[in-house]
Structure formats: structure tokens, C-alpha cells
Amino acid sequence: DGISVYLKSGELCLVLGGSDQSKSTLLRALSGRLNESDDISGTILLNGIPMPRSDRGWRKICPYVSASDATHAAVLTVRETFTFAAECTMGNSSDDMIKDEVDQMMNRLGLSHVADTVVGDENLRGISGGQKRRVTFGEMMLNESCRFMCCENITDGLSSADSLGLIENINSACKNYGCAALISLLQPSDEIIEIFDKILVLTSQGLAYFGPVDRKILAEAFLEEQTDDHHNGSICDFVLKHSLSGSVEEEMALAKRYASSEMYKQTVVELAQLRANAPPAHDRDIHKLVPNDHVTKSAWYQFSVISARRIKLICRNAVTWTRIVIAIVFGMIIGSLFSAL
């Protein structure tokens, strides 16, 4: 309730909060991925126009990236995985344009040196966990309609070095493609936090802070009296220590302090300017703001792309060849029993 933020093209915003602060629900609500079990009320508006809970056009603009990498085909290479994603999302682009876009994406995400390595899984050795997470992000970025991304705990299970490299690559890709990203992380290091342009801090009582990554400004927002406490420890520990105190009264006081701060007033001014620059209500059309959900490729093209992928999966599956060999061997054995008849 009462959460007002804004992001410009190319900006990254870090979402911090406790495990029970509904960060996941916020990200899924913004990206149109709410399900029936989500207890949420209200209306999602795009330029003042009500949107359905799961509008397909908005989902093209705002992809959602989770911490799971289980959806990849283990036997496909990084290049093949990106190429399939591009063929499905890049509309009427030619094969050369798709190849160039895939090469650029792999270069920006630092995956060029593993382009022809299989993704792999627990049974097949492939790329590392950090590289696999970059593949997940790259697949979403290859959507030519992508303008805003919601990423949930995308560094879970990664080492500190892989986590830092992942966020650096995401920042580079967002800057190059003009895409904004809202990313929730658990206990990120200062090196990772300093990559972000803004921080969004949530408590059980609502919004506690939204503004730049600056220790001095954060200290003014979270400390009633100026001390040297903010110089000790990491930014994440400092923020969560003072925002998740466990006391409802203290969290409410923190929310009120932010609501009366200059940072909040600046946010209100920015949002007012965005609303002022929006088209008049009678000129607003939801279908003009989001891409339509009509398929731009022919049925034959879709069939050929999916068939080619399926054939690769079947041919590279060891179980398939094992079954063929077993069938041949058993056929020969059974046939030899009747050879003398």
C-alpha cells in the first residue's frame, strides 16, 4: 500500500525487505503474473487505463525472471537456446538479423566463449551456474518488445563472484537496450548494490525508502540521530537492521519519516510530471500502449521452428539411442531363435 516509485530507461532498482514483505507478489503484480491464489486487491493501470490481471501484451513488455533455471533444454547449446528464443519473439526479423542479435546478446552477457557449449543440468555437464542464469536473463531480453523486467532473487545459489558478474552483465545489457529492471536480492554485497541506480526498501508497513544508492542519504532516512553507524558493515545489513526492527511502531515511524523526506517529495514531483506528459484520457488506448497478442509468424514457420528444436532434443537424448540399440539387439536375439526353422 502507498508504494510510489518510478524507473527510467536503462535504470536498475534493487528491492530489499524481509522474507515476508511480499516482494514476490509485488514483482508478479507488476509483470502481470498473478495467479488465483494471490490475495491482492485493486486495479493495475497503464497510463490511467485499467489492465486485466494477466494481459498478454503487457507480459511481452515486462518479462518476469525467477531464480529457477530448470526450464532450459540441457542438450542445446547457448547459441541454439538464444536462437530459438529470438525466432519465437522477434517478429518478422530475417535469419541474419536474428543471428546478429543473438551474437550481440551473448557478447553483452559475456557468453561468447561458451556459445557452442551445452547448457547442461545435474546429469549433463555444461556451463556454470552463473552463466546459466545469464542465459535465462538473455532469453527474456531477446524479446524485441521488452521494456521493463522484474527479476526475483536471481543470484540465489551463485557464488559472490558469479553474482557480481551477473548483475554487471545485466546492467550493461539494460543500458544498451534501454530496458529498466526491478530486481529483488537476498543479502547482496556492497559491490553489487553500488551497481544499482536506486534502492526500494519494503517493510510490513509499506514503503520505507526509495532513492539513490548513497550511504549518507540512507543514514538520513533510517537514523533519527546522525551517528557513524552507517559507516559500519554493508549497506544491506545497515538498511535491513533499521527497517526490519520487528516493532510495528518503529516501522510505521520509519515510513512516516520517509513520507516527509525530500526524497519522497522528489518522487511525487517526478510522478506528477509523468502524469502531466501522458496523453489526454480520451486519447488513451490500451492497445496502442502494448503490443498486440497476435502471432506475426505463419503457422508453417512456427511448426518448422518447433519441429527442428524437437528433433535436436530427440537425437541428442542418450535414452533415445539406448532404446534403439536395445531394440536391435533383442530383435537379433529373437530372430536367431527362429533362424533354423
Side-chain angles (χ1 to χ4, degrees):
D1 295 333
I3 299 176
S4 297
V5 300
Y6 66 93
L7 285 179
K8 298 179 180 179
S9 298
E11 287 188 339
L12 267 65
C13 179
L14 172 64
V15 182
L16 291 179
S19 58
D20 58 344
Q21 305 310 320
S22 300
K23 294 182 295 182
S24 176
T25 304
L26 172 63
L27 295 177
R28 286 187 286 109
L30 290 175
S31 59
R33 266 77 174 180
L34 290 173
N35 50 52
E36 297 300 328
S37 62
D38 287 318
D39 184 16
I40 188 171
S41 61
T43 305
I44 299 176
L45 305 176
L46 182 60
N47 273 16
I49 307 172
M51 283 199 311
R53 284 168 65 95
S54 298
D55 185 87
R56 291 180 61 183
W58 174 246
R59 291 172 67 148
K60 288 184 178 181
I61 291 180
C62 183
Y64 172 80
V65 183
S66 68
S68 174
D69 299 317
T71 57
H72 296 303
V75 296
L76 295 183
T77 65
V78 173
R79 187 188 303 278
E80 290 170 339
T81 301
F82 277 176
T83 300
F84 178 75
E87 288 173 341
C88 292
T89 59
M90 289 185 62
N92 294 316
S93 302
S94 64
D95 292 341
D96 290 337
M97 292 176 63
I98 290 176
K99 182 179 181 300
D100 291 341
E101 192 67 23
V102 168
D103 290 339
Q104 290 179 22
M105 181 60 68
M106 289 191 297
N107 183 53
R108 291 193 174 106
L109 293 177
L111 295 170
S112 298
H113 63 292
V114 293
D116 298 316
T117 304
V118 295
V119 175
D121 57 13
E122 64 274 6
N123 299 315
L124 177 63
R125 183 176 181 180
I127 58 178
S128 68
Q131 291 167 342
K132 192 177 296 185
R133 200 63 53 81
R134 278 179 266 169
V135 171
T136 304
F137 185 85
E139 283 184 293
M140 301 297 105
M141 286 288 290
L142 281 169
N143 186 348
E144 61 184 4
S145 301
C146 176
R147 294 294 180 270
F148 177 69
M149 301 191 72
C150 292
C151 309
E152 181 184 357
N153 299 336
I154 55 174
T155 59
D156 282 9
L158 302 182
S159 65
S160 57
D162 285 339
S163 298
L164 178 60
L166 172 65
I167 300 301
E168 286 177 339
N169 289 130
I170 290 176
N171 181 50
S172 174
C174 286
K175 294 289 190 293
N176 280 283
Y177 286 93
C179 177
L182 195 64
I183 304 175
S184 69
L185 299 178
L186 296 175
Q187 295 292 331
S189 65
D190 281 0
E191 288 181 299
I192 292 178
I193 293 178
E194 289 170 356
I195 298 174
F196 288 85
D197 301 287
K198 293 182 173 68
I199 296 181
L200 171 64
V201 182
L202 299 175
T203 69
S204 60
Q205 302 305 310
L207 181 61
Y209 177 81
F210 173 72
V213 182
D214 187 293
R215 280 183 179 268
K216 183 178 179 180
I217 298 177
L218 287 168
E220 294 175 354
F222 289 97
L223 297 177
E224 293 185 10
E225 299 179 359
Q226 295 302 310
T227 65
D228 292 332
D229 189 25
H230 65 285
H231 293 297
N232 302 323
S234 68
I235 295 176
C236 180
D237 290 340
F238 165 74
V239 169
L240 295 183
K241 173 184 175 182
H242 292 87
S243 61
L244 304 177
S245 60
S247 169
V248 175
E249 291 75 14
E250 291 183 12
E251 291 184 1
M252 290 182 63
L254 186 62
K256 290 180 180 179
R257 191 185 313 144
Y258 170 71
S260 60
S261 67
E262 290 298 324
M263 291 304 307
Y264 178 76
K265 295 176 182 178
Q266 181 180 344
T267 300
V268 172
V269 171
E270 290 283 352
L271 291 173
Q273 290 178 349
L274 291 174
R275 293 189 180 99
N277 294 331
H282 57 79
D283 292 335
R284 299 176 187 175
D285 184 357
I286 191 68
H287 301 294
K288 294 180 180 179
L289 298 175
V290 299
N292 60 59
D293 55 6
H294 297 297
V295 179
T296 56
K297 293 288 189 179
S298 65
W300 171 250
Y301 177 86
Q302 297 175 63
F303 175 78
S304 62
V305 169
I306 295 175
S307 298
R309 173 186 169 90
R310 192 59 191 169
I311 291 173
K312 288 180 182 178
L313 295 178
I314 293 174
C315 293
R316 295 179 187 180
N317 190 342
V319 176
T320 301
W321 298 107
T322 302
R323 288 176 176 174
I324 293 175
V325 172
I326 291 174
I328 293 174
V329 171
F330 270 89
M332 294 177 64
I333 293 174
I334 294 174
S336 66
L337 297 177
F338 300 94
S339 60
L341 297 179

